[in-house]
Structures are given as structure tokens and as C-alpha cells.
Amino acid sequence: MKREQRKLGYAVTELKGADLAKTNSINPVAALQGKVAGVDISGAAGGPQAANRIVLRGAKSLNGKDQPIFVIDGVIFENEAANDEVNFGNVLKNFNPDDFETVTVLKGAAATALYGSRAINGAVLITSKKGVTRKGIGVDVSQTVQFEHAYRGPIDLQNSYGAGRYGPFQQDAQGNNVIDWAGAYSYGPKMQGQLAKLPNGEIVPYAAQPDNAMDGYQLGKYYNTNVSMEGGNDRATFRFSYSHLDNNSVQPNNEFSRNSFALKSTAVISKFLSAEGGVNYSVSDILNPTRQGGNYTNYNIGRKWTYVFPRNYDPAYWSARSITPTNAMADLNTTPGADYWFVLAKDSWERNEKLFSGNLSLTATATDYLKFLLRGTFSNEQNFDERKQWGRGNNFSGSDGMYATNGMNRSQHTFTGMAMFTPKTSEDWSVNLNVGAETWNSGIGYRFSNSTVNGLRLPGTFAITNSISTPNSNTQSLGRRRINSLFFAGSLAYKNAFFLDVTGRNDWSSALTYPAGYGKNTNSYFYPSVSAAWEFTESLKANMPSWISYGKLRASYAIVGGDTDPYQINAGYLTNGFFNGASTGADLPLFDIYNPDTYPNFNLKPSKSNSIEVGADVRFLNNRIGLDVAYYHTDVRNQIVTLPVANESGVRNRIINAGSMINKGIEIAINARPIEGKNFTWDMNLNGARNWNRIDKLVDGVDQVELGNDQDVMAIAMVGAAYGVIVTNYGFTPYQAKDGSGNNISNPNNGKPVIQANTNDMRYKYQRGYKVVGNITPDFNIGWSNNFAYKNWSLGFLLNARIGGDIFSASHQYGTGRGTTANTMYGRDAAHGGLTWTDNRGNVRDDGMIPDGVFADGYTVTANGTEVNVGGMSYRQAYDAGYVGALSPYEYYSMQGDWGIGIRETSVFDASYVALREISVGYTLPSSIASRLHLNKLRMMLVGRNLGYLYNNLPANINPEGLRNNSTFAFSEYGGAPQVRNYAFTIQVGF
């Protein structure tokens, strides 16, 4: 159902498909960055195929499903969260942005009400290009060549001090300097080319390796070829396109390729019947996405450079020794990092994806005021993963050898029928009424996994039957869900200036349907919307000042309902696996009476989102300046949330309806044409949004829900606070002085971190405790674009900013503890603030350091043979009094960032940034010259993308967009992704 934007009572942003295509982003989400007010987009580590996060008007869900749906030619897809261990991306990477005609962002509930419960978090509508009526067949060809350059790592590293913990070298019996490689710390001597012994016994120069972390990256190459054909007459049109894309990442052995085909056609079958349809088919291959954590932590190269490789590590030297002459992985004790280089050289993880989707619509014209529409859509996704892992023993034998396959086959389909009634009315009034029914079936299919166990009998022969032990084999059905719906949409207009839209939809969800005899069915839920717009420049045009070109006021109220995943509440049979134990014939099949992990809720209600929006669209000076402003308030109630319960209950979780979550905010978009001349124009767009989020209520007895965790840091939803509070049990404990009766008293040291004794070569540690340390929700998102046109030339640039919103950097935390990151240069010598002191080996050093903190009450030290109570004294006060000595950098920074005793709070930061997102230069050959060359058009374009940060609030230039994955609550990076610039050249030719 298409509506003129001027008649809508809610905010809508429409972009041209070409604006997204020119970014050369594999995932279309990334291409929206900075272009739409109220849209928060973040990158994710993993490679070119990695999925991005997109949130419209703030987080609204506690179950992790906060992202909008993508409706591509009527077929609905989700921007699913990718695995934070290995990010293969999601289904959106399988579409070709060159086929997009328009991209429309629907942020409010009134805008998405008719898309049902799936659009509770908003919708992005993508309409593909279709053929046009023309003489002959038109052919368009475009070729893009892009180079990707890793110009900075995930975090800046220091290049002055190498492996070691205790400063100066120790010598062996022959007098050779010996590198202290234990723990891979970088608190050793200054790297000045001294000869020193490695863990493998060889003696080499102990020298700085300033480019070692970046030498492992390569120049990424991206090639995209598009060919399209189109044609048609007044009876039928068609458009066919083919695209081939190859992208070698900056990460070695990480590749993405895609072949996509698209066909779209329209036809006038008769005077009363017309048809429109299209199909898309794509095949993509992903090779070796970046491993980031979990079972693959040791293969995260960013983590290696902060936590495992000291700063004198020579990757060329060690990688050449990672495989022994007997074809085994070298010993990690004598060949540090051999596990990473072995995997890079030998192992592979590849995924093949196939996507087939389509749509078909038939429109029957009964009278000049009554039409009927029948529409069907479908999609089928097939994924196949293949992992090949060589054994680590001699001749590649051993239990690490493995071959594994897994995959998924998933389908969905939708059928819609609708009657469209447009009766004739008076000249002042117009009425439209649409009434319809829809059924959506999803989760049709299965997933499977197979793997060898305990190694391969014949190393290098990758087959399940080559397993040493009985292989694992499992096939599971997907959770199937059906939603049946009835809906209506009515529009009323008066004098082409006053517009009123009313919609209603009732869904019946199988996911909220209980078996007979269980629970109270709440699977039926109705949600309406009403929106109004007044185009005051139309009704008051006789009295309107000439400098006001256009003006509209709008308002809307809407409710959108929501269900849950299938089989979460049912007490009936759930087929958990129908080929479990297929290799042995045992346990086949397996049935559970109900979801074995979750206690069923027999009175679950659908969630409801209540939203109000008001706004205005005003333009001035013959449309040279435009202002669009919106205010919204959304309250999501009765969210369906899974909470953990005590083990004594016999289950792990319970499913409940939880409280209220509020978002309210302001969006502003300013469009201007400061200069408009015969040959030169300048267009500018500035958009910004401020969202306030608050968890008003959860459920009785519960005031917080964990959303995610990483490295002892958690993101939670907490009553009374904004979504995504960051907490940790490893925060500073502030000192509080007390009198003899235990009452708090004033003291200059109050609030400073408490220091206590430690038991190993790190003499002290901070007292750790629970602490709220941040929040992931940003304060503002801003985009500013400028486009200049001079005759046939164009120049444009885009800046975008994210102000506020915290992240936890595990790279910073553990890099600080290891001494590898640039922030650990303070105190390393006198020039950097170090103090003169003598260590326990008699070495006089200039790298003494004083921690900021206060000794716990009652803490005693021995000074000059006398026990002294230093409790309540700051370390500086005790040092100045001669009671304690300076700490070595190893001790000082371990107190902050060591895995065992560190303070996670020290690595939570405000991730504000201002990015130069895009610069483009284009030239279009004049049509008079193009026609002489028998061309319809010829255009060339240079585009630079992700060119750098004009401002980055994070220390040590941490990548603010290197989050682990694209989930709404993603808040951490570890190893992250390098910062990559893209430079592309595109030529487009039309015949």
C-alpha cells in the first residue's frame, strides 16, 4: 500500500538506492550510517561479511531482539545477531545493493503497524529496480575496483620495551642475556638491538618491531561487476541483473564472494488483470572469518598482540618455525604463537550460502473504485559450513585433527489477500479503504551438524567416516511459527490539506497458542493506529508569507503487538532432535514433554508497544531550506523475557511478562541548498537525534536482567536506568574513613581506591567490588552530508558522530596488564615520570611508580625493622614517609589490567567519535558526447569510505566500532578489528 509522503502523519525517510550502492558495503546496514535521523548503527569485527548493528529510536526489547526487519520487495528478513566468536554475517549480505531503487526507513509504530508484530522495532523497506517502457533493450554495465587498507590496529601499541617482567636482563652461565618470556609481558629492558637468547635458545637482536602488529594484514581487494538488462512496452516490462563480487579482506585467508541474479517483471494481462513479480537468487562463499573468542580465543590475532606477543615479537621469524620438519605444530614453550601461525597456514572454515526469494502479485480491477490484490512471497536459505583442521602431532596426527560439517535449510512464505476500495466522493473529500488477510509461515526446515571425534585416522583426509572414534551426528527441526492476520487501513482527506489514516490489525500467533487443556490462550491480539496530517500551506495559502514554501504538522498514536519464539511456552511435545545418535542407532528419536530448560508459563500475554509521535515538516525560501522535526514517546509493556531460576527448581529458566520500558526522543533533519546557480549547486543535510531510555519496571522481585557478559563485565537492564547499564564485580572499592564507633567521617582520602596485599610477585592489588561503570546507550547520533555539483562534476562528503555510549575494551584491560599497549608508557623511565629506585636484585632503575589508592584500614608494613600501620594512608603518603617503596611498571600496571587481579573498571570508556565516513567525486560524460559513442550514459566515480576519525575519545586509538558482534547489547571489544580505509573506483556505462 503506497501513500504519498505528504499525506502521512508520521516521519519517513527515503533514500535512493544509488546512495547505498556507492558505498560498496556488502551489508546494506553499514551503508545507512549517518544518513537517517534516529538510527544508531555500529560496526562489528569479523571481516567484510560481518553483520552490523542497527537500532531505531533506542533499544526496546529485553530479549535481545531490538533490530528492525528488512522488507525487500515484500519479503521480510531479520538483521539477525551474529555469533560473537565467529561472525559470518547474516542473510542481508546476500543481496546486491545495485538492484535497490529506494530504501525507506520506518521508525515509528504508526509507520509499521500494518507489518505486524515482526515490525515492533521498526522496518527498512527496500524496493528493487524494475523495467521501464522504452525503445529496445537497455543494458547497463558497471565495474567497481576497491582497495582496503588497514591503517591502524585495534589499539595502539608501545614500541620501546620488550619481553620481560623485572626490567634488566638476567644472564645464563655463558653470560648471554636471557629474555624473560614467561607470561609474555613487555616490562623488560628497552629494546636497543642488544643480543639476547630466545625461548628456543637462539640468540638474536632484542630490537623494536614497530610494524609487527600491522605486517600481518594485507591490502584488501574488492571487485564488483554488475550487468543489467531492461525493457518493456505498455503491456509488459522486465529487468534482469547479474552481479559478481569478490572481496579479499585485509585479514589473510579471509575472503567473501557472491554471485547474485535478479529478475523483476510487470505485465498487463487484460483490461481487468495485471501482475508483478520478481525472484532473487544468490550464492555466496565466506572463507575464514576472524576468530574472536570462545573456543577460538587463541586464534584472535588482535588478542595475540595485546596479551600473548611481547613487543619484540618478530612474526616472520616465529611463523617460519611454527611447523616442524616432522609436520607437527611447534612447541608453544619454545615457539610462542605457533598455534596461530599453524591455524593460519593449515586450517580452514568455509561457509556456502544460497538464498532464493521471490514475490508475485495479481491485481484485479472489478470497477473503477474496487480492486483486489493477491500476493505471495517466499524465501529459502541454505547454509553449509565445512571445517578442516589438521592434527598438531607428527605428520599432522593427533586428536586436534577434525572434519566437521553443519548447516541449515530454512524457508518462509506469506500469502496476502486484500480488497482496495476507493469510492467516488465530493470534490473536497476523498476516501480509501483497504481490508485484507494474511498468513505467514516461518521456521520451516532443519539444521544439522556432523563432526569427527578424537582425530582423523588418516591425517589430511577430511571425511566424517575418517573419524577415529564414533562421529557426532545430529539433525534438528527448526522452530516453526505461523501468524494469521486480519487487517484494515482507511484514509480520509479533506480539501487536499487534512489527512487522517486509521489502521487495525489482529494477529493470531502459534507461538502463543497452548495445547488443549493447558493455559489460557492469548494468541489473539489486536493493535490499532491513527495518524493525522495538516498541510497548512495548502489550506492557508492565501495568507501564507511568500518565504514559507511548504508546511505540514503531523501526529500519530499506535499500538504494535508482539509474540515470542516458537516452543518457548508450550507444554506439549517438542521434537528436539530426530536424528540424534544416528551413527549408533541409539536414542532415536528424542521427544521432550516440554522445553526441558524452561518452566512453562500458562498465562503469558503478548507484548504491546504504545507509541505517540508529533512532528512538523516546514520548508522556506522556495524549498531552499527545510526543517523536519519529530518527538516520540514509546512504552513497551509485557515484554516476554526469560529469567534464570535456582537449580533446585529442576529447570534453568522461567518465561514471564516483564514491566515497562520507555523511549522518548527528538529527531531533527535540516536540508538546505545554500547555493543554486546555473552550473553550480550546493546541497547540505544535517540530521541528529537524542533518545532517552528508561526501564520503568521489570517484575515483582526482579530489578535487573542480564543482557550479555564478557570478561567479568556485564550489560544489564536495570529498573530506573537506561538500557545497557555496564556493571562488573571487578570495580574499584572506594575508601571510607570511619571513627572508633564505625561511623563514616570526613577524610581527604575518601573515595580513592582501596589497596590491599597480594600473594605473588605483584605485591599489591586493588580491593575489587561490584560497581556500575557505564552505559552503552549513546546520547546523540549526528550525520552531516554535503554535495556539490558543477556542470557534470559532483563532489560529496559525509561526517557522522556518535556522542556518548560506553564500551569495555578487553584489549586495553589485558594490554595494560601485559605492558603491550601505548597507554603503559607512563612511568617507564624518568622522561615519562618514572622515579629512581633500587629493585630486589640491586639494580638502580628510573621506572618507579606510585599507585593511586589508599591502604585498607589496619594494613601494616615493616619499615626499618618496625611494623607500621599505614591503614587510611594513601600510597603516596606512605611512600613520602619512607614506609613503602616505588612499584615496578610490572606491578603498577598489573594492579589495573592483570587477568587475575585487574580492575575492569579502568577499561570502560565513553566511545564518542566523529568519523569522516565518506568522500566521493564523480563525473558524468555529457549526453551529447555519449550519444556519439553510441552510449546512453557514462559515469565515473571515486569513493573513499571510512577514511578516519576526526575525533576518537577512546585512549590509545581503540577502534570504537570494533565490537564483538551486532547484538543490540554488544558493549565490548577484544582484539577487535583493524581500522580500515576503502578507496574505490567505479565506472558505469549504459547502452
Side-chain angles (χ1 to χ4, degrees):
M1 292 177 287
K2 295 182 179 179
R3 296 272 287 143
E4 289 184 67
Q5 195 164 336
R6 60 183 286 267
K7 298 180 179 180
L8 300 179
Y10 43 81
V12 170
T13 302
E14 182 174 286
L15 303 173
K16 295 179 181 179
D19 293 334
L20 274 68
K22 76 176 183 179
T23 68
N24 302 310
S25 300
I26 290 174
N27 190 302
V29 173
L32 292 171
Q33 205 162 17
K35 295 182 171 72
V36 183
V39 177
D40 180 24
I41 295 175
S42 299
Q49 78 293 328
N52 295 77
R53 175 178 69 182
I54 176 171
V55 179
L56 309 183
R57 291 183 172 176
K60 306 177 187 68
S61 173
L62 301 175
N63 58 20
K65 295 189 173 182
D66 272 301
Q67 305 197 48
I69 57 171
F70 282 70
V71 185
I72 303 177
D73 289 336
V75 186
I76 294 179
F77 299 93
E78 294 185 5
N79 188 46
E80 294 175 312
N83 191 310
D84 63 358
E85 298 177 355
V86 183
N87 190 336
F88 277 100
N90 57 32
V91 67
L92 296 179
K93 67 180 177 294
N94 295 311
F95 289 95
N96 176 22
D98 288 281
D99 288 331
F100 298 167
E101 181 69 31
T102 61
V103 179
T104 305
V105 181
L106 306 180
K107 295 168 285 188
T112 61
L114 282 182
Y115 286 96
S117 56
R118 293 163 289 176
I120 194 170
N121 297 308
V124 178
L125 312 184
I126 297 176
T127 302
S128 295
K129 297 174 182 176
K130 58 184 178 182
V132 296
T133 300
R134 56 168 294 154
K135 182 179 179 181
I137 294 177
V139 178
D140 282 351
V141 179
S142 69
Q143 177 65 52
T144 297
V145 178
Q146 177 173 274
F147 298 102
E148 302 171 355
H149 170 58
Y151 66 94
R152 175 171 279 144
I155 186 171
D156 286 350
L157 306 172
Q158 59 90 5
N159 291 297
S160 298
Y161 295 88
R165 289 169 291 175
Y166 309 121
F169 288 121
Q170 287 188 294
Q171 283 73 39
D172 62 12
Q174 290 74 41
N176 298 309
N177 294 327
V178 177
I179 299 175
D180 173 17
W181 208 282
Y185 293 92
S186 290
Y187 296 112
K190 198 165 190 176
M191 295 180 287
Q192 296 175 317
Q194 316 93 303
L195 293 178
K197 184 187 290 186
L198 293 170
N200 62 4
E202 293 190 24
I203 297 175
V204 299
Y206 183 75
Q209 308 284 333
D211 299 317
N212 54 6
M214 297 303 296
D215 285 344
Y217 299 111
Q218 62 186 14
L219 182 68
K221 301 179 181 68
Y222 168 107
Y223 304 98
N224 189 16
T225 305
N226 279 279
V227 180
S228 66
M229 303 171 59
E230 66 177 14
N233 52 35
D234 58 352
R235 303 291 298 175
T237 66
F238 82 96
R239 182 180 186 274
F240 173 78
S241 69
Y242 167 71
S243 169
H244 175 74
L245 184 150
D246 280 310
N247 193 175
N248 297 323
S249 167
V250 297
Q251 179 73 40
N253 297 339
N254 176 206
E255 301 174 6
F256 175 81
S257 65
R258 183 185 67 210
N259 288 281
S260 62
F261 305 83
L263 173 65
K264 195 168 186 179
S265 180
T266 66
V268 179
I269 300 173
S270 71
K271 180 180 178 180
F272 305 104
L273 186 64
S274 62
E276 180 174 333
V279 292
N280 292 273
Y281 179 72
S282 68
V283 180
S284 64
D285 289 284
I286 308 104
L287 178 65
N288 295 326
T290 305
R291 276 66 151 183
Q292 295 192 89
N295 295 328
Y296 317 110
T297 298
N298 289 333
Y299 313 133
N300 178 342
I301 187 59
R303 175 184 178 273
K304 289 289 191 186
W305 285 116
T306 56
Y307 193 66
V308 179
F309 295 163
R311 294 305 300 130
N312 59 303
Y313 189 91
D314 183 346
Y317 176 91
W318 292 112
S319 62
R321 290 160 175 77
S322 61
I323 300 177
T324 69
T326 61
N327 288 328
M329 187 183 83
D331 186 346
L332 288 173
N333 292 316
T334 57
T335 314
D339 52 352
Y340 174 78
W341 304 115
F342 184 94
V343 168
L344 187 64
K346 301 299 296 182
D347 295 353
S348 68
W349 192 343
E350 185 172 4
R351 172 177 290 183
N352 173 267
E353 296 188 14
K354 296 181 177 68
L355 173 66
F356 184 37
S357 65
N359 64 91
L360 177 64
S361 300
L362 296 174
T363 302
T365 303
T367 68
D368 58 356
Y369 58 84
L370 180 62
K371 293 182 180 180
F372 296 96
L373 171 71
L374 288 176
R375 181 176 61 214
T377 68
F378 75 92
S379 71
N380 173 257
E381 303 167 52
Q382 298 181 39
N383 301 338
F384 179 78
D385 283 22
E386 186 176 42
R387 291 185 62 188
K388 297 177 180 179
Q389 189 167 298
W390 293 75
R392 277 39 171 171
N394 290 333
N395 294 317
F396 303 119
S397 62
S399 60
D400 287 315
M402 184 189 71
Y403 178 67
T405 62
N406 60 78
M408 179 190 70
N409 189 311
R410 178 171 63 183
S411 297
Q412 64 165 334
H413 57 75
T414 304
F415 294 103
T416 306
M418 184 166 57
M420 299 172 286
F421 184 57
T422 55
K424 293 181 179 179
T425 57
S426 68
E427 183 177 338
D428 291 339
W429 294 88
S430 64
V431 177
N432 294 287
L433 178 64
N434 301 317
V435 179
E438 184 176 84
T439 181
W440 174 58
N441 283 263
S442 66
I444 305 168
Y446 60 90
R447 61 168 50 92
F448 66 90
S449 62
N450 307 287
S451 64
T452 59
V453 176
N454 292 328
L456 302 172
R457 283 185 282 184
L458 184 61
T461 299
F462 295 104
I464 297 297
T465 54
N466 193 35
S467 177
I468 289 178
S469 300
T470 303
N472 292 323
S473 182
N474 182 33
T475 301
Q476 293 181 328
S477 59
L478 301 177
R480 185 167 180 176
R481 176 168 50 168
R482 175 185 295 177
I483 296 179
N484 295 328
S485 308
L486 295 175
F487 61 87
F488 73 87
S491 301
L492 179 67
Y494 176 64
K495 290 194 172 181
N496 200 33
F498 298 90
F499 308 100
L500 177 69
D501 286 351
V502 179
T503 72
R505 182 180 177 110
N506 200 100
D507 286 348
W508 288 265
S509 171
S510 65
L512 293 176
T513 302
Y514 295 96
Y518 293 88
K520 179 183 178 182
N521 273 334
T522 55
N523 60 359
S524 173
Y525 44 101
F526 175 76
Y527 41 99
S529 78
V530 57
S531 62
W534 174 33
E535 196 173 272
F536 59 82
T537 47
E538 176 66 23
S539 57
L540 302 176
K541 56 186 174 183
N543 301 312
M544 193 61 55
S546 60
W547 50 272
I548 299 180
S549 311
Y550 176 82
K552 182 181 77 171
L553 302 178
R554 60 179 186 261
S556 65
Y557 172 75
I559 300 175
V560 178
D563 59 355
T564 185
D565 291 333
Y567 304 118
Q568 296 302 301
I569 65 171
N570 298 48
Y573 287 99
L574 165 67
T575 307
N576 188 49
F578 49 85
F579 288 138
N580 279 333
S583 57
T584 63
D587 302 323
L588 203 156
L590 171 66
F591 289 101
D592 294 317
I593 299 300
Y594 62 91
N595 190 332
D597 289 333
T598 303
Y599 185 75
N601 185 331
F602 296 123
N603 193 31
L604 204 63
K605 302 173 184 177
S607 61
K608 288 290 182 73
S609 172
N610 298 267
S611 182
I612 297 172
E613 178 184 329
V614 295
D617 181 2
V618 187
R619 302 166 205 167
F620 308 95
L621 303 178
N622 197 27
N623 295 318
R624 293 278 295 274
I625 300 175
L627 172 66
D628 193 302
V629 61
Y631 169 81
Y632 59 88
H633 184 285
T634 301
D635 185 0
V636 183
R637 303 174 184 173
N638 292 327
Q639 293 199 46
I640 300 173
V641 180
T642 301
L643 296 179
V645 296
N647 291 335
E648 292 83 356
S649 66
V651 294
R652 296 178 181 173
N653 308 298
R654 60 175 173 142
I655 190 167
I656 63 167
N657 287 114
S660 168
M661 185 172 176
I662 293 175
N663 281 277
K664 58 182 179 180
I666 297 174
E667 298 168 352
I668 298 176
I670 299 173
N671 298 282
R673 176 165 283 186
I675 299 176
E676 184 175 40
K678 179 180 179 181
N679 295 318
F680 180 77
T681 60
W682 170 20
D683 291 315
M684 182 185 71
N685 175 273
L686 176 66
N687 68 78
R690 172 71 162 103
N691 183 77
W692 292 270
N693 175 283
R694 186 178 73 251
I695 312 294
D696 256 14
K697 182 182 179 182
L698 290 174
V699 68
D700 291 342
V702 177
D703 62 2
Q704 65 182 49
V705 174
E706 182 179 316
L707 304 170
N709 64 80
D710 188 15
Q711 308 298 313
D712 311 305
V713 183
M714 295 168 287
I716 66 172
M718 177 188 295
V719 173
Y723 176 94
V725 174
I726 302 177
V727 300
T728 180
N729 289 316
Y730 295 165
F732 287 117
T733 298
Y735 177 75
Q736 174 60 59
K738 297 181 181 296
D739 61 20
S741 301
N743 301 311
N744 292 344
I745 59 174
S746 177
N747 187 297
N749 288 329
N750 283 347
K752 293 183 178 180
V754 174
I755 295 175
Q756 57 187 183
N758 197 36
T759 57
N760 54 25
D761 56 352
M762 307 168 193
R763 289 173 288 172
Y764 302 104
K765 64 182 179 181
Y766 289 111
Q767 183 177 327
R768 303 196 291 193
Y770 180 83
K771 193 81 170 287
V772 174
V773 294
N775 192 289
I776 67 175
T777 302
D779 297 322
F780 297 95
N781 283 285
I782 300 171
W784 184 41
S785 65
N786 286 265
N787 292 283
F788 306 89
Y790 175 71
K791 293 186 177 180
N792 295 318
W793 290 89
S794 64
L795 169 68
F797 70 85
L798 170 66
L799 303 179
N800 89 279
R802 192 173 193 261
I803 310 301
D806 300 315
I807 70 168
F808 167 68
S809 171
S811 299
H812 178 274
Q813 175 72 181
Y814 300 135
T816 298
R818 285 296 196 261
T820 54
T821 48
N823 60 291
T824 62
M825 280 302 296
Y826 169 73
R828 292 294 189 102
D829 53 32
H832 290 88
L835 303 174
T836 301
W837 67 297
T838 303
D839 64 21
N840 57 8
R841 296 174 179 173
N843 298 304
V844 178
R845 299 164 56 174
D846 61 356
D847 59 358
M849 305 184 73
I850 306 298
D852 181 22
V854 179
F855 285 106
D857 286 337
Y859 189 87
T860 62
V861 298
T862 300
N864 299 319
T866 303
E867 187 175 61
V868 179
N869 184 349
V870 295
M873 297 177 65
S874 70
Y875 199 100
R876 168 63 70 176
Q877 290 169 332
Y879 173 82
D880 290 342
Y883 300 145
V884 295
L887 300 185
S888 68
Y890 167 62
E891 293 177 291
Y892 176 86
Y893 286 111
S894 291
M895 290 177 67
Q896 300 176 36
D898 181 74
W899 181 84
I901 66 169
I903 299 294
R904 306 295 184 259
E905 178 183 352
T906 62
S907 298
V908 175
F909 307 103
D910 177 343
S912 297
Y913 67 81
V914 179
L916 179 54
R917 190 62 64 192
E918 185 181 301
I919 294 180
S920 62
V921 178
Y923 175 74
T924 301
L925 193 69
S927 57
S928 58
I929 300 177
S931 61
R932 287 185 228 149
L933 300 175
H934 303 288
L935 302 175
N936 291 330
K937 65 178 180 181
L938 189 153
R939 180 166 174 77
M940 295 170 284
M941 183 175 292
L942 289 170
V943 178
R945 180 82 177 161
N946 299 322
L947 296 174
Y949 296 102
L950 305 181
Y951 170 75
N952 182 357
N953 189 62
L954 295 174
N957 288 304
I958 298 169
N959 185 353
E961 299 180 274
L963 299 178
R964 275 190 184 261
N965 69 14
N966 67 321
S967 64
T968 307
F969 52 78
F971 68 95
S972 64
E973 70 81 35
Y974 192 8
Q979 298 175 45
V980 178
R981 293 186 178 116
N982 304 327
Y983 307 95
F985 173 74
T986 298
I987 183 169
Q988 301 169 330
V989 182
F991 302 92

